[in-house]
Amino acid sequence: MDEPIDQQGIARARALLATARAVVVLTGAGVSAESGIPTFRDALTGVWSRFRPEDLATREAFLRDPARVWAWYAERRATVARVAPNAGHHALAKIEADSAAKGIEFTLVTQNVDGLHHAAGSRRIHELHGNIRRVKCFDHGHAAVAWDESGETPPRCAACGSRLRPDVVWFGEMLPEGALEHALEASRRCDVFLSVGTSGLVEPAASLAHAAAEAGAAVIEVNPQRTPLTARATIALSGTAATVLPLLAGSAGYVAPRGL
Ligand code: BV8
C-alpha cells in the first residue's frame, strides 16, 4: 500500500517555494516513470537485461557494436514517441508559470533525454544529457533530421557518411557546452533546490543539489525511495512525482492541513 502523503512536509515545502527568490528543479528518470518510461536503472529489462546502462551508453560500446547500441536507442525512441507527460511534468510546468508571474527565478535542469518536460509546457529547461529524439553523426555531430531505418544499421550521415548516433551524452562524454555551468550557477544562486526522481548516482548532475545546499539553499527531495541526498534534504517527501508534485504546485488535490 502506498505510504500516506506527509501533509506537514507538503505544507512546509509549499511555503518554501512560495517565499523563494530563485528555484532550481533537478529531475531524473523517476519523473517519467508514471508516463510509462522505465527508469534508467530499470531500463534494461527484457532483451537488454543482460547489460548495464554503463555498458551500452558509451562511445566504446557504440564502436564495438554500433548496431546493438542503435537498436537499444531505437527501441527507447519508439517508447518515448508513444507516451505523454504525466501529472508530475505538468505540475512542474505550472510551478514555472506561477514563479514567472510572481517574479521568482525558475530553472529546470533535467537528466532525462525524453523531451517530456518540453511537451508538458516547461520552457526554462537545461537538458544535461541531451535528447533521445535528436540524432547526429558520430564523427562530426551533423544533425540528422531524417534517416532510413530499413537499410544499414546504424544509418549513415547524409553529409559525411559517418554512422548516426543518438544526440545524448554517453558515460565518459562531456556535457553540452554551457549546460552544466548554467545549472551549477543557478544551483549556487537559488534558495530552494527541488530534486525529483533521481537516484543521485550520476555525476556531475548529482553534485548540483550539494552545491545548492553548500550555498545555503533549502533542499526538497521527492522520491519513493531513499537516496544519498535524502539524509541531507531539508524536506524529504517520500512519494511519486505524479502524486507529490501536483500537491506542491497547488493543483488538484491540495488541501492545506488544519492549523497550518
Ligand atoms: C562527464 C544519457 C566529464 C544516455 C546518461 C565525477 C565527476 C565527473 C564524472 C564522473 C564522476 N564520477 C563518475 C563519473 C563518470 C560518469 C558517472 O557518473 N558514472 C556513474 C555510473 C558513476 N559520468 C559521466 O561520464 C558524465 N560525463 O562527467 O564528463 C568526464 C569525461 C571523461 C572522463 C571523466 C569525466 C556523463 C554522464 C551522463 C551519462 N548519460 N543519460 C542515455 O540516456 O542512454 S545518464 C542516465 O542516468 C540518464 O540520463 C538518467 O537520467 C541518469 C541518472 O539516473 P536517474 O535519472 O537518477 O535514474 P535512476 O534510474 O538511476 O533513478 C531513478 C530514481 O527515480 C530512483 O531514485 C527511483 O527511486 C526514483 N523513482 C522511481 N519511480 C519514481 C521515482 N521518483 C519519483 N516518482 C516516481 N514515480
Side-chain angles (χ1 to χ4, degrees), residues 189-256:
R189 202 178 53 243
C190 74
D191 35 24
V192 176
F193 187 98
L194 173 59
S195 175
V196 185
T198 180
S199 58
L201 298 175
V202 171
E203 293 292 357
S207 59
L208 295 173
H210 299 283
E214 276 144 32
V219 175
I220 303 166
E221 182 182 46
V222 176
N223 196 318
Q225 308 287 333
R226 292 183 63 81
T227 73
L229 181 65
T230 308
R232 181 164 203 182
T234 315
I235 303 172
L237 298 171
S238 174
T240 72
T243 304
V244 173
L245 292 179
L247 297 173
L248 294 187
S251 26
Y254 178 72
V255 177

Side-chain angles (χ1 to χ4, degrees), residues 2 5 8 26 39-41 53 77 81 93 96 104 137-138 147 149 155 168 181 193 204 208 211 213 236 243 257:
D2 290 344
I5 292 290
Q8 302 267 351
L26 172 70
T39 63
F40 204 72
R41 305 287 155 237
R77 211 173 11 253
E96 176 177 331
I104 297 172
C137 77
F138 187 85
W147 54 87
E149 292 273 10
V168 298
E181 291 71 16
F193 187 98
L208 295 173
T243 304

Side-chain angles (χ1 to χ4, degrees), residues 27-35 38-43 52-54 56-58 72-73 76 86 110-113 128-132 166 168-175 180 196-207 221-227 239-243:
T27 62
V31 81
S32 296
E34 286 154 293
S35 290
T39 63
F40 204 72
R41 305 287 155 237
D42 304 336
R52 293 181 318 139
E54 294 78 11
L56 286 173
T58 67
W72 182 48
Y73 281 94
R76 291 173 61 196
N86 62 58
T110 189
Q111 300 171 88
N112 298 344
V113 297
L128 291 185
H129 296 159
N131 189 311
I132 201 169
V168 298
V169 179
W170 278 332
F171 291 99
E173 290 188 318
M174 302 296 282
L175 274 58
L180 178 63
V196 185
T198 180
S199 58
L201 298 175
V202 171
E203 293 292 357
S207 59
E221 182 182 46
V222 176
N223 196 318
Q225 308 287 333
R226 292 183 63 81
T227 73
T240 72
T243 304

